[in-house]
Amino acid sequence: MPYTSFDRDIKIAPSILAADFANFGAECAAVEREGADWVHIDVMDGHFVPNITFGPAMVKALRPHVRTVMDVHLMIANPDQYIAAFADAGSDIITVHVEACTHLDRTLSAIRELGCKAGVALNPHTPESTLDYVMDSLDLICVMTVNPGFGGQSFLHSQIEKVARLREKIGDRAIHIEIDGGVTPSTAPLVAAAGADVLVAGSAVFGGGSATDTGPYGQNITKIRDAAVAAAS
Ligand code: DX5
Ligand code: ZN
């Protein structure tokens, strides 16, 4: 089901950056069948990050294959120029990087006006205080636990403290804390205990399986979820 209502239950969001690029439709259906709560889509432009992935046309083509929440992470410069296209493509959540937004408050309002949930991602070096004056304009904060651009990097433990501080700052507001990068059954409990509820995982979900052998996806998702739920605060 697309995004309906807010809760803080642990959610696993496989990143299709680690999927078979020739089979995205089947891969999205496979991870959902195997227990994914959301599907995370990493858009990279070769400017804001050194890697290039795909654009709004691809996201639109994927929409019929995604039955859960389509969580679109824009690692792009000038996101204002593209948010309407990504909303039109059927995104449920559009996340922009604070480092790429000159007028963040305006960008977040624009995302909401287009009918999507508004997310902000923080690079590892960016302090959480940068969000102090937009806390009522956003629905999700994505804490990057790697430097964005590539899958398969090691989790940065320095970010756990940021998650805990954000959890405190959020209070009762309906704002998700999403973790992106290096999430595994070993690191998931650390961020769940600090207050995160959405765990993006690429390599740790798709590793060992394929679009035609999806069982490992299910086992991987279960391992991450169980470890996180046991630690969740
Ligand atoms: C990193 C991306 C992540 C990435 C996570 O730039 O935003 O979503 O795919 O990959 P893993 O889980 O392999 O670190
Ligand atoms: Zn991402």
Side-chain angles (χ1 to χ4, degrees), residues 40-122:
H40 184 83
I41 302 184
D42 285 311
V43 176
M44 304 187 186
D45 67 348
H47 294 277
F48 181 70
V49 289
N51 198 3
I52 300 178
T53 55
F54 29 74
M58 225 287 295
V59 175
K60 192 170 198 163
L62 271 184
R63 180 71 262 193
H65 301 272
V66 176
R67 293 178 178 207
T68 61
V69 171
M70 198 154 85
D71 174 34
V72 177
H73 178 191
L74 299 184
M75 285 163 275
I76 65 174
N78 301 318
D80 301 274
Q81 217 176 313
Y82 301 99
I83 52 179
F86 283 102
D88 179 60
S91 308
D92 292 299
I93 303 171
I94 297 179
T95 296
V96 294
H97 267 262
V98 63
E99 303 85 5
C101 293
T102 309
H103 304 287
L104 182 62
D105 184 71
R106 181 186 291 156
T107 305
L108 295 172
S109 305
I111 294 172
R112 282 182 165 179
E113 276 162 24
L114 288 162
C116 302
K117 296 289 175 192
V120 181
L122 303 177

